[in-house]
Amino acid sequence: MAKDKGFPSLNDTAMITLNVSDNRPFVPRFNESEISISVLENTGVDSLIYTFTVVDALGKPIDYTV
């Protein structure tokens, strides 16, 4: 849910689907199938919002950032 600091406070929610594609010949394993994060309304355009890790077929971690 997005919520501002005004009075009265306004809020909203958004469901975002992130499709991860890679040219490697494996299917990445995610630690969780769904996450919930909060982003402040004044977050800059080029800001790092979230980092997550997947594991390849050999058990090597691969980091992604949004």
Side-chain angles (χ1 to χ4, degrees):
M1 173 184 0
K3 184 176 182 181
D4 71 7
K5 295 182 180 181
F7 185 80
S9 180
L10 304 174
N11 62 66
D12 200 358
T13 59
M15 174 81 69
I16 298 173
T17 300
L18 179 65
N19 295 313
V20 177
S21 300
D22 203 329
N23 62 354
R24 301 171 198 207
F26 71 93
V27 177
R29 292 188 330 248
F30 291 84
N31 294 332
E32 40 195 324
S33 62
E34 211 173 280
I35 61 166
S36 177
I37 60 172
S38 297
V39 180
L40 295 174
E41 66 178 302
N42 59 350
T43 300
V45 172
D46 292 325
S47 297
L48 170 67
I49 296 174
Y50 190 75
T51 300
F52 61 96
T53 302
V54 300
V55 179
D56 71 10
L58 300 174
K60 178 182 173 188
I62 301 170
D63 296 323
Y64 291 91
T65 57
V66 177

